Amino acid sequence: MTETESIAYDVVVLGAGPVGENVAGRTRAAGLSTAVVESELVGGECSYWACMPSKALLRPVIARADARRLPGLAQAVQGPLDTTAVLARRDDYTSHWKDDGQVGWLDGIGADLYRGHGRLAGPRTVTVTGPDGDVTTLTARHAVAVCTGTRAQLPGLPGLADVKPWTSREATSAQAAPGRLIVVGGGVVATEMATAWQALGSQVTLLVRGKGLLPRMEPFAGELVADALAEAGSEVRLGTSVASVTRENGTVVAVTDAGDRIEADEILFATGRAPHTDDIGLDTIGLEPGSWLPVDDSLRVTGSDWLYAVGDVNHRALLTHQGKYQARIAGAAIAARALGVPILESDPWGAHAATADHHAVPQVVFTDPEAAAVGLSLAEAEQAGHRVRAVDVELSSVAGAGLYADGYRGRARMVVDLDEEILRGVTFVGPGVGELIHSATIAVAGQVPVNRLWHAVPSYPTISEVWLRLLEAYRDGA
């Protein structure tokens, strides 16, 4: 092992996923020299093991489900999906787990890529241990941005490692559908992967410790998704925990807390995420290895004037698009401070404040039906002390929904702040609603008054006419 002399940059970014790329993009646009350190593939979890492969798996599933609801087309799509073709398209969307294109983008903006394991080695200093064991030391004149994301968190079941369970990575990159699949968890990864692999030929059993699916959304979202999974052939067991799991002659055997024995070919644990900070040198700057990194709204780590934590690693909103938003804010803040801007735009909704993290985080769950939400649920709004009212509308009452699919089932809710007459949150559940959520995001983030929303006329006949139905229901109930 050899160690090179220190190389100085304005900014050093740890992690080259979408978040790290966006930080680098903003700092380079401001003229700051930037180094990016990555131990795996440039493009990160989202590109190769999360957003892109999972949605590539799910798109044919959803398209077939929609087609089966349309007379004149339903009979043509009654057969099984071509699993081989679906997996091949998924592989194309991951660039076959090669990052040449992403590396080319970094080169194009003038950022320097260092491959290897990056660790903090004191203030403003990062050491990179390359694949050959050589160590390079990087120093940052202005900022180090930790963008290392999260990893799957497995429960502490004895012998679990010997079972070789799936995590989200294996679930999105598998090269064949298991005959039987146990999915442990009730959140986004669990419901999306249960949807995908059930449609691709697996017999899925979903084991959910809680009372329902998608616990961070309105309760009706999880109820509609659970009903649809059951109708598709999955077995959904609520209030069920795994007490033990073994692999016997290749077969996975899970025993529940009730003593039930379930056999499968594979088992997926989708039971949460942990920060990827256990081996990045946090101890060298007085922080706890393996901890989440608390930040202010400019994404600067609490108590530091040079360290930033952007994306999942700060635990504000574990979503790729929200991490990229934070990266744009952090990059702008880093540049402003480096260039000597005396006062940052740090007021809520300012250029250097990630205010949306608190008020307007959107999310789409790509199940069948889709579930999409932004802002606060009714329970969250009440817990936050807002005086609110929930307005619910069945999506089947909208002409566009009926045209979209026969037997359309779905529901919409807006949570109205009765004192300020703005929306605190919006939830849609139903086929195709993922494309509706940005209108709700604009309404929530823009704090658009309800009386102004009356003048945002939805096109007829589209599903977006649900906005008119919601406003009418609010007016009639006022």
Side-chain angles (χ1 to χ4, degrees), residues 4 18 22 86 90 97 113 141 149-150 156 212 235 273 295 349 411 442 450 466-467 475:
T4 65
N22 273 268
V86 173
R90 182 273 316 271
W97 291 274
L113 173 63
R141 299 183 188 94
T150 59
E235 182 179 359
R273 308 290 296 179
V295 296
W349 308 108
R411 190 172 173 186
I442 292 170
V450 171
V466 68
W467 280 108
R475 176 200 61 194

Side-chain angles (χ1 to χ4, degrees), residues 65 113 143 151 153-154 165 177 284 325-326 347 352 360 367 404 439 446-447:
L113 173 63
R151 54 179 172 77
Q153 186 173 41
L154 292 170
T284 69
Y325 159 75
Q326 292 177 12
D347 289 340
H352 307 118
T367 46
Y404 189 94
S439 60
Q447 299 181 331

Side-chain angles (χ1 to χ4, degrees), residues 122-189:
R124 304 175 190 266
T125 304
V126 172
T127 59
V128 184
T129 304
D132 56 3
D134 288 349
V135 178
T136 302
T137 300
L138 308 175
T139 59
R141 299 183 188 94
H142 298 292
V144 173
V146 176
C147 308
T148 50
T150 59
R151 54 179 172 77
Q153 186 173 41
L154 292 170
L157 292 173
L160 183 59
D162 298 331
V163 175
K164 297 181 178 179
W166 278 11
T167 66
S168 54
R169 283 199 168 194
E170 290 77 20
T172 56
S173 63
Q175 293 299 312
R180 299 163 298 172
L181 175 65
I182 298 170
V183 178
V184 183
V188 177
V189 172

Side-chain angles (χ1 to χ4, degrees), residues 186 206-213 222 226 235-241:
L206 192 62
L207 304 181
V208 186
R209 183 173 58 183
K211 297 179 180 179
L213 303 183
E235 182 179 359
V236 181
R237 299 192 186 188
L238 303 178
T240 301
S241 297

Side-chain angles (χ1 to χ4, degrees), residues 204-262:
V204 172
T205 301
L206 192 62
L207 304 181
V208 186
R209 183 173 58 183
K211 297 179 180 179
L213 303 183
L214 304 177
R216 295 187 178 182
M217 287 187 165
E218 299 284 8
F220 64 81
E223 292 166 5
L224 287 167
V225 170
D227 289 346
L229 281 169
E231 289 174 10
S234 296
E235 182 179 359
V236 181
R237 299 192 186 188
L238 303 178
T240 301
S241 297
V242 176
S244 68
V245 59
T246 56
R247 192 179 287 270
E248 303 172 6
N249 299 319
T251 298
V252 173
V253 178
V255 178
T256 72
D257 52 355
D260 296 333
R261 175 186 169 102
I262 306 169

